[in-house]
């Protein structure tokens, strides 16, 4: 099948540059059906339908008469595209390489190279991607112009060719649909070359872009956050605030922006101002590290403002949240280890919801998936999870198909049981009818030939009616009889024969016309007879074909199916173990970090209580006051070092 | 409270000692973590890639089975001499909402489909849905199609159309194309492919 597709890719690429009727209209319904599935993200169905259609197309004697002929070039590329989307890089890559190496139109070749470079880029094979993209030469398809340039810029960036990347992204600014991405990458290229002023200018421009597109708004937020973080790194805290404040409060980057804003205020000792973003942030979902930091940040700010009671309460709340989070992490790890994680993931009804990853966190009594969204941040986890889903889909299909073979065999048995007893008698009757039909056909052919001959040599006697023929035969018999040999009788015979011949000669033309008309009518009947005959032959053939010749095919498919099912199950086990291990690893790391934060919060809580006590002791008698001041944190240098966010600060920036 | 403050101060004074204890405990626990998650710590990029390649191979095998099965199904259930298939296509703006389609063949309902948002978008973006595959004798057959939905302006849309299919020898594929217009006077076209 693959060889077929590859060879077709070569052939099609050669012959399709000018031959197709390229009016854009969809002619092949099955190609349209593949697009219908692909548009819904159901790539297995899309590839399967298109492979079937392509296989049939390559088997037809006259491909030009097949409707797929008009789309075969697109169809071949679509298969490659769908395979890429279905994460079958190897297969897609091989087919695309075959196109590149063939003698093809430059546009087709360049499109193939672009797709190959994209595969390498997606697989993080940066040098291969660079070599591929640099092979693009000559005419390129108009619809892919900006996409090719954008990919080229990205490849230059990952290969450290920032000057080239800058040039590419500069040229892309102003292109519809690419502008925000191009601006962001341009700024990153400029930063990489230490062109900080230009980069800040680019980021600022991007950060002010107005758009309704959610993806563009996210890029805009990312630009503001990146710029804000970089300015904070450079110690320009107040300048950073301007950019951090531009990040939307409900966007994916809002948590880090809020945390950064708090820190920017803290650096200028404006703890009151820091409380604004941090208070907002600490009420958000506690699985986010930024929220966990805000939980400690708020009481830290209260402490700095001298509100130790509030600080103690805040640390208490942080401890409570941290403890709850640690319990949840423990429960998640235990649940994942007991195999529940994989069981929940393959529940079909969950994936009906486009926000299933988020919904899984909200489900009660599902600790195993509580951190799924956070785990999804890792590319390896994401691709492994997707592989697991794909394997589950394959397993379900293969199991369903196993039942199909039994059903097909039952169907074949029923057909066989019905047709086999009927067919011998039917065939016998058909043979008799067939010989009769053949006889009549021969007779018709003889009449036709005779009529054709009569056009050249008229033969009136051939058109004599039966009574006339009888009369002529009687006259001959009388003539031959010895008893009637006298001249008078002979004269009478001649006269009668003459009358008959006269009549035949006079009516010859008329009779010939009538005979031709009758033959034409007969031909119509024969045509109908042939239709019935052919229909019978087809039905007879279909009856046999409906139950003969399937045994080997079904047996082979069943074996292949069972073998594939075994492989899928083995791979699912391995992929599942890998996913569980990745998840447990990640969650254990989180646990360790939280435990550190917990210890810090405990110490900070105690310190706050201590300070709050000290504060209240200021109103007590002098002798007690001095005792309390001796125990105060100010006298103990180690106390001032308890900064719960000290480690985290550098992480954020 | 003073007592508490003193205890805390002492604790903090002992912080460095406490940290050492915590660190040593952490080492012990880290050892335990390593033992528990021995698999996870050994997962390398190569392992991930190796498994990914095997998954790609099995996908390829299963797709081949699927293609063979499609062909077998077609040959067995819908022989080319009698095969009839109806396809739905849609020419409409994104605001048009196609809810359902019903098809009758010779007065008998043969297909009924309610569209999801994804399916509707797939149709608007050039996809074609095979809504029915069956068998029919040669000769004339009556097709009746009913579409239901909402127009771009939000009004109810109901469209029924008839067509006579002259079934010949060989498969017959009919594209039933719904061309919507904002005023609700959509048109249904039948195209024999």
């Amino acid at each position: 099948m693959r060889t077929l597709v590859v060879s077709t890719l070569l052939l099609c690429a050669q012959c399709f540059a000018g031959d197709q009727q390229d009016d854009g209209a969809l002619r092949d319904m099955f190609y349209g059906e593949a697009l219908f599935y692909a548009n819904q993200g159901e790539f297995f169905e899309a590839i399967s339908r298109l492979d079937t259609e392509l296989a049939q197309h390559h088997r037809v004697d006259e491909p030009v008469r097949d409707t797929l002929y008009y789309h075969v070039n697109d169809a071949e590329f679509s298969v490659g595209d769908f395979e890429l989307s279905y994460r079958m890089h190897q297969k897609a890559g091989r087919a695309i390489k075959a196109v590149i190496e063939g003698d093809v139109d430059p546009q087709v070749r360049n499109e193939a190279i672009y797709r190959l470079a994209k595969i390498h880029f997606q697989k993080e094979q940066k040098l291969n991607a660079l070599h591929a993209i640099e092979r693009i030469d000559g005419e390129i398809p108009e619809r892919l112009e900006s996409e090719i340039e954008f990919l080229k810029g990205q490849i230059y960036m990952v290969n450290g060719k920032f000057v080239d990347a800058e040039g590419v992204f500069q040229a892309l600014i102003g292109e519809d649909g690419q502008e925000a991405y191009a601006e962001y990458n341009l700024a990153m290229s400029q930063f990489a070359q230490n062109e900080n002023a230009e980069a800040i200018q680019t980021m600022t421009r991007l950060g002010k872009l107005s758009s309704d597109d959610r993806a563009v708004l996210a890029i805009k937020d990312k630009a503001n956050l990146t710029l804000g973080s970089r300015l904070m790194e450079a110690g320009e805290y107040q300048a950073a605030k301007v950019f951090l404040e531009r990040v939307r409060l409900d966007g994916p980057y809002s948590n880090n922006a809020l945390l950064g804003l708090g820190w920017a205020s803290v650096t200028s000792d404006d703890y009151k101002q820091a409380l604004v973003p941090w208070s907002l942030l600490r009420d958000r979902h506690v699985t986010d590290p930024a929220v966990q930091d805000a939980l400690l940040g708020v009481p830290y700010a209260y402490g700095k403002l001298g509100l130790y009671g509030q600080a103690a309460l805040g640390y208490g709340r942080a401890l409570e949240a941290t403890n709850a989070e640690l319990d949840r992490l423990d429960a998640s790890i235990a649940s994942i280890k007991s195999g529940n994680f994989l069981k929940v993931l393959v529940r079909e009804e969950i994936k009906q919801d486009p926000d299933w990853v988020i919904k899984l966190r909200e489900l009660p009594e599902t600790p195993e998936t509580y951190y799924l969204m956070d785990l999804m941040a890792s590319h390896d986890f994401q691709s492994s999870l997707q592989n697991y889903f794909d394997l589950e889909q394959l397993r379900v299909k293969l199991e369903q198909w196993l039942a199909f073979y039994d059903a097909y065999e039952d169907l074949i048995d029923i057909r066989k049981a019905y047709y086999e007893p009927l067919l011998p008698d039917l065939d016998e009757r058909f043979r008799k009818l067939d010989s009769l039909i053949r006889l009549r056909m021969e007779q018709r052919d003889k009449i036709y030939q005779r009529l054709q001959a009569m056009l050249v040599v008229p033969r009136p006697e051939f058109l004599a009616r039966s009574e006339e023929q009888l009369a002529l035969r009687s006259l001959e018999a009388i003539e031959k009889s010895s008893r009637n040999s006298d001249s008078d009788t002979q004269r009478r015979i001649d006269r009668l024969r003459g009358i008959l011949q006269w009549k035949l000669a006079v009516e010859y033309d008329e009779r010939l016309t009538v005979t031709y008309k009758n033959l034409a009518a007969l031909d119509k009947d024969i045509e109908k007879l042939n239709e019935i005959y052919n229909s019978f032959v087809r039905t007879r053939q279909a009856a046999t074909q409906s139950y003969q010749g399937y045994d080997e095919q079904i047996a082979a498919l069943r074996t292949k199916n069972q073998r594939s099912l075994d492989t899928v199950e083995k791979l699912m086990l391995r992929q599942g173990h890998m996913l569980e291990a990745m998840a447990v690893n990640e969650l254990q790391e989180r646990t360790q970090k939280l435990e550190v934060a917990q210890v810090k919060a405990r110490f900070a809580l105690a310190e706050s209580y201590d300070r709050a006590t000290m504060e209240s002791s200021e109103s007590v008698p002098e002798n007690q006051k001095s005792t309390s001041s001796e125990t105060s944190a100010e006298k103990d240098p180690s106390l001032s070092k308890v900064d719960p966010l000290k480690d985290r600060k550098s992480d954020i920036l | 409270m003073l007592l508490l403050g003193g205890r805390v101060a002492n604790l903090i004074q002992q912080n460095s000692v406490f940290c050492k204890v915590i660190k040593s405990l952490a080492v012990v626990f880290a050892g335990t973590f390593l033992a528990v998650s021995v698999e996870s710590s050994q997962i390398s990029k190569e392992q991930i890639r190796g498994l990914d390649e095997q998954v790609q191979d099995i996908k390829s095998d299963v797709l081949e089975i699927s293609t063979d099965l499609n062909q077998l199904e077609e040959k067995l259930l819908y022989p080319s001499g009698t095969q009839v298939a109806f396809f739905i296509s849609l020419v409409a703006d994104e605001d048009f909402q196609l809810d359902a389609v019903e098809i009758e063949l010779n007065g008998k309902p043969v297909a009924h489909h309610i569209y999801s948002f994804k399916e509707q978008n797939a149709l608007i973006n050039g996809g074609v849905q095979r809504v029915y595959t069956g068998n029919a004798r040669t000769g004339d057959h009556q097709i009746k199609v009913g579409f239901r939905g909402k127009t771009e302006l939000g009004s109810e849309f109901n469209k029924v159309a008839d067509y006579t299919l002259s079934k010949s020898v060989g498969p017959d594929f009919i594209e039933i194309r719904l061309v919507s217009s904002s005023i609700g006077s959509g048109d249904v076209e039948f195209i024999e492919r």
Side-chain angles (χ1 to χ4, degrees):
Chain A
M1 177 67 207
R2 205 65 340 239
T3 324
L4 199 67
V5 171
V6 172
S7 59
T8 319
L9 268 165
L10 292 170
L11 276 173
C12 295
Q14 284 170 359
C15 65
F16 267 83
D19 292 354
Q20 287 185 20
Q21 294 178 34
D22 194 16
D23 58 1
L26 184 72
R27 290 158 188 259
D28 189 275
M29 294 293 97
F30 294 92
Y31 177 44
E33 192 188 15
L35 293 176
F36 178 67
Y37 285 111
N39 288 346
Q40 295 177 70
E42 294 176 23
F43 293 104
F44 182 92
E45 296 298 334
I47 299 168
S48 168
R49 305 289 158 134
L50 205 47
D51 267 348
T52 309
E53 185 61 359
L54 281 165
Q56 286 180 350
H57 175 74
H58 298 311
R59 273 207 306 269
V60 296
D61 297 332
E62 293 177 79
V64 182
R65 298 183 66 179
D66 186 24
T67 47
L68 189 65
Y69 174 78
Y70 302 103
H71 311 292
V72 74
N73 202 22
D74 284 339
E76 297 289 4
F77 266 125
S78 295
V79 171
D81 244 1
F82 300 163
E83 283 169 348
L84 274 184
S85 303
Y86 193 47
R87 295 163 298 283
M88 294 174 71
H89 300 95
Q90 288 175 314
K91 202 173 164 189
R94 278 199 293 270
I96 290 170
K97 269 182 191 160
V99 176
I100 297 167
E101 283 155 19
D103 178 21
V104 294
D105 179 79
Q107 282 205 14
V108 175
R109 186 173 168 275
N110 285 333
E111 184 170 351
I113 295 173
Y114 158 68
R115 283 164 199 261
L116 185 67
K118 202 171 171 182
I119 293 174
H120 289 311
F121 181 70
Q122 283 174 344
K123 297 195 83 181
E124 297 171 19
Q125 297 165 345
K126 52 187 183 181
L127 266 178
N128 288 345
L130 183 66
H131 291 149
I133 203 86
E134 285 185 337
R135 284 174 70 187
I136 290 181
D137 184 30
E139 221 178 320
I140 52 175
E142 201 179 327
R143 69 196 150 84
L144 288 177
E145 268 173 15
S146 61
E147 283 178 43
I148 290 174
E149 285 305 297
F150 190 76
L151 179 68
K152 196 185 273 180
Q154 286 178 307
I155 292 171
Y156 283 151
M157 274 183 85
V158 293
N159 281 284
K161 300 177 83 172
F162 296 107
V163 180
D164 295 328
E166 191 182 337
V168 170
F169 291 124
Q170 281 281 15
L172 276 172
I173 290 171
E175 289 279 337
D176 282 348
Q178 301 276 13
E179 182 156 15
Y181 303 96
E183 290 246 38
Y184 185 83
N185 284 332
L186 173 65
M188 295 313 283
S189 305
Q190 288 166 334
F191 272 131
Q193 296 171 76
N194 291 322
E195 295 172 354
N196 291 338
E198 289 86 346
I200 290 171
Q201 207 178 352
T202 312
M203 281 282 192
T204 309
R205 196 168 55 230
L206 173 58
K208 287 179 180 173
L209 201 75
S210 68
S211 171
D212 297 330
D213 188 335
R214 286 172 70 178
V216 172
L217 289 174
I219 288 283
K220 190 178 150 183
D221 285 348
K222 194 175 178 181
N224 282 319
L225 180 66
T226 308
L227 191 51
S229 302
R230 279 179 175 265
L231 286 170
M232 283 181 75
E233 260 176 35
E236 295 176 40
Y237 302 107
Q238 296 316 306
K241 278 172 90 172
V242 176
F243 298 100
L244 293 173
E245 277 167 357
R246 282 186 191 153
V247 178
R248 289 170 304 150
L249 278 176
D250 53 354
Y253 301 100
S254 60
N255 287 359
N256 281 335
L258 286 170
L259 190 65
L261 268 174
W263 271 116
S265 300
V266 164
T267 50
S268 56
D269 292 334
D270 190 352
Y271 297 102
K272 217 170 182 178
Q273 188 60 39
L275 277 170
V276 179
W278 282 351
S279 299
L280 193 67
L281 183 56
R282 74 166 172 176
D283 291 332
R284 295 191 174 185
H285 216 284
V286 76
T287 52
D288 191 318
V291 178
Q292 290 162 13
D293 284 347
L295 276 165
L296 295 175
V298 170
Y300 172 76
Y302 277 129
K304 289 287 182 185
L305 287 167
L307 300 166
Y308 301 114
Q310 289 279 24
L313 283 173
Y315 283 123
R317 183 177 163 177
L319 257 180
E320 204 178 299
T322 314
N323 289 340
E325 189 65 5
L326 278 168
D327 288 346
R328 208 174 280 137
L329 276 164
D330 288 344
S332 279
I333 292 169
S335 192
I336 290 167
K337 281 181 180 169
S338 59
N340 293 335
F341 183 59
L342 299 175
K343 277 183 209 156
V344 172
L345 287 183
V346 296
R347 272 164 58 181
E348 201 49 50
E349 73 275 13
I350 286 169
K351 278 172 270 168
Q352 299 300 320
D353 192 323
D355 297 326
W356 65 274
V357 177
I358 301 160
K359 290 282 161 64
L360 272 178
R361 185 162 68 182
E362 312 300 336
L363 281 178
E365 293 168 12
T366 52
E368 57 280 346
T369 52
Y370 193 78
Y371 293 94
L372 186 62
M373 208 165 79
D374 309 81
L375 293 168
M376 292 285 270
S378 144
H379 173 73
D380 285 342
F381 185 85
Q382 228 180 81
S383 57
S384 298
L385 183 64
Q386 201 52 58
N387 274 349
Y388 191 77
F389 288 154
D390 290 344
L391 287 169
E392 169 63 9
Q393 186 197 31
L394 296 183
R395 189 192 64 76
V396 171
K397 279 187 190 297
L398 288 166
E399 273 189 354
Q400 280 174 349
W401 293 345
L402 277 180
F404 283 11
Y405 303 124
D406 293 339
Y408 289 154
E409 279 172 343
D410 281 351
L411 184 76
I412 289 164
D413 287 344
I414 292 166
R415 283 178 180 173
K416 194 175 178 181
Y418 175 75
Y419 283 122
E420 268 196 344
L422 289 177
L423 288 177
D425 181 46
L426 208 66
D427 286 345
E428 182 56 37
R429 282 164 63 192
F430 177 68
R431 267 195 294 277
K432 282 180 188 165
L433 273 172
D434 186 45
S435 55
L436 199 65
I437 290 168
R438 280 175 199 283
L439 181 70
R440 294 287 177 249
M441 291 296 284
E442 276 171 26
Q443 285 175 337
R444 181 261 169 210
D445 288 346
K446 267 186 192 169
I447 292 167
Y448 176 76
Q449 280 163 11
R450 202 173 266 184
L451 284 173
Q452 289 298 104
M454 281 159 70
L455 288 175
V456 184
V457 184
R459 297 289 295 271
E461 69 275 18
F462 284 176
L463 298 179
R465 295 193 183 99
S466 52
E467 68 271 16
E468 289 165 345
Q469 282 176 6
L470 281 172
L472 280 169
R473 265 183 235 136
S474 300
L475 286 175
E476 269 175 41
I478 293 165
E479 198 172 28
K480 281 177 187 168
S481 165
S482 54
R483 285 185 293 153
N484 302 320
S485 58
D486 61 294
S487 60
D488 187 43
T489 308
Q490 188 58 46
R491 202 168 47 249
R492 286 174 70 193
I493 290 168
D494 289 344
R495 194 166 63 240
L496 285 170
R497 187 179 282 136
I499 289 167
L500 280 169
Q501 283 174 348
W502 169 258
K503 197 177 177 186
L504 288 174
V506 168
E507 292 177 6
Y508 181 74
D509 289 341
E510 193 187 334
R511 288 188 182 200
L512 192 63
T513 308
V514 170
T515 310
Y516 259 107
K517 280 182 181 170
N518 288 340
L519 189 70
L522 178 68
D523 281 347
K524 278 186 183 167
D525 289 337
I526 284 171
E527 205 178 307
K528 276 184 195 165
L529 183 71
N530 275 335
E531 269 178 32
I532 296 166
Y533 182 90
N534 289 334
S535 163
F536 177 83
V537 171
R538 276 197 306 273
T539 312
R540 170 69 185 81
Q541 205 177 9
T544 317
Q545 282 177 353
S546 69
Y547 66 89
Q548 275 181 358
Y550 294 100
D551 297 350
E552 277 180 27
Q553 199 181 354
I554 290 178
L557 269 173
R558 183 184 274 123
T559 312
K560 216 168 155 185
N561 198 337
Q562 188 57 57
R563 208 171 42 230
S564 295
L565 184 59
D566 294 343
T567 311
V568 164
E569 282 171 347
K570 270 182 214 155
L571 287 174
M572 268 190 92
L573 265 177
R574 288 178 59 194
Q575 190 73 72
H577 284 317
M578 195 179 266
L579 274 173
E580 283 175 344
M582 282 173 165
V584 168
N585 224 15
E586 166 69 24
L587 297 188
Q588 279 174 343
E589 269 179 36
R590 243 166 214 262
T591 306
Q592 283 165 319
K593 280 182 192 165
L594 267 176
E595 279 167 348
V596 173
Q598 192 187 37
V599 171
K600 284 180 180 173
R602 277 198 185 125
F603 278 109
L605 173 68
E607 184 203 357
S608 298
Y609 272 127
D610 206 18
R611 284 175 183 261
T613 313
M614 262 172 47
E615 208 172 43
S616 63
S617 71
E618 280 173 6
S619 57
V620 299
E622 200 60 33
N623 59 338
Q624 286 184 28
K625 202 174 172 182
S626 64
T627 320
S628 83
S629 65
E630 276 170 20
T631 58
S632 75
E634 276 86 12
K635 286 204 168 182
D636 184 346
S638 65
L639 192 66
S640 59
K641 287 176 190 165
V642 181
D643 175 353
L645 293 171
K646 202 174 97 185
D647 296 341
R648 181 67 194 152
K649 205 189 309 184
S650 56
D651 291 347
I652 301 156
L653 304 181
Chain B
M1 289 302 279
L2 281 168
L3 190 65
L4 178 70
R7 262 174 38 201
V8 169
N10 286 339
L11 263 175
I12 294 162
Q13 277 173 337
Q14 290 160 13
N15 201 8
S16 56
V17 181
F18 180 74
C19 282
K20 279 177 193 167
V21 175
I22 292 285
K23 274 179 192 168
S24 58
L25 276 172
V27 172
V28 174
F29 281 120
T32 320
F33 285 138
L34 284 174
V36 172
S37 60
V38 64
E39 281 175 303
S40 56
S41 60
Q42 286 173 352
I43 295 170
S44 61
K45 285 268 177 200
E46 282 68 35
Q47 276 178 304
I48 294 171
R49 199 175 298 141
L51 192 53
D52 184 62
E53 280 169 10
Q54 288 181 52
V55 173
Q56 289 190 48
D57 288 342
I58 193 68
K59 279 179 180 176
S60 190
D61 291 348
V62 180
L63 274 165
E64 265 182 42
I65 297 175
S66 175
T67 304
D68 290 347
L69 204 57
N70 282 344
Q71 288 172 355
L72 173 72
E73 189 180 67
E74 191 169 322
K75 203 171 148 192
L76 195 62
L77 304 180
Y78 314 110
S80 59
T82 54
Q83 190 182 9
V84 175
F86 302 145
F87 295 84
I88 303 291
S89 64
L90 179 62
V91 181
D93 290 338
E94 285 192 358
D95 294 334
F96 180 80
Q97 185 185 315
L98 177 61
D99 290 334
V101 65
E102 286 172 348
I103 300 181
E104 285 181 13
L105 182 62
N106 300 321
K108 289 179 186 166
V110 291
H112 178 255
H113 190 82
I114 295 172
Y115 288 94
S116 66
F117 180 72
K118 262 165 83 177
E119 286 172 331
Q120 190 192 313
N121 269 354
L123 286 177
I124 287 173
N125 292 320
V128 175
Q129 179 203 15
R130 180 158 43 152
V131 73
Y132 170 75
T133 311
N135 294 296
R137 287 167 181 270
T138 49
D140 286 355
H141 299 274
Q142 295 303 316
I143 306 169
K144 190 176 176 184
V145 182
F147 286 103
R148 268 184 291 139
K150 275 194 178 138
T151 65
E152 288 87 332
L153 297 176
S155 55
E156 292 288 325
F157 176 91
N158 271 300
K159 186 80 191 173
V160 178
D162 294 292
Y163 183 71
T164 303
L165 164 68
S166 295
K167 175 83 181 75
S168 56
V169 178
D172 277 71
F173 304 131
I174 313 293
E175 180 184 354
I176 304 167
R177 185 188 290 167
L178 174 64
V179 184
S180 88
S181 73
S182 56
I183 51 164
S185 60
D187 202 11
V188 179
E189 296 169 8
F190 293 84
I191 306 151
E192 291 192 29
R193 296 290 185 183

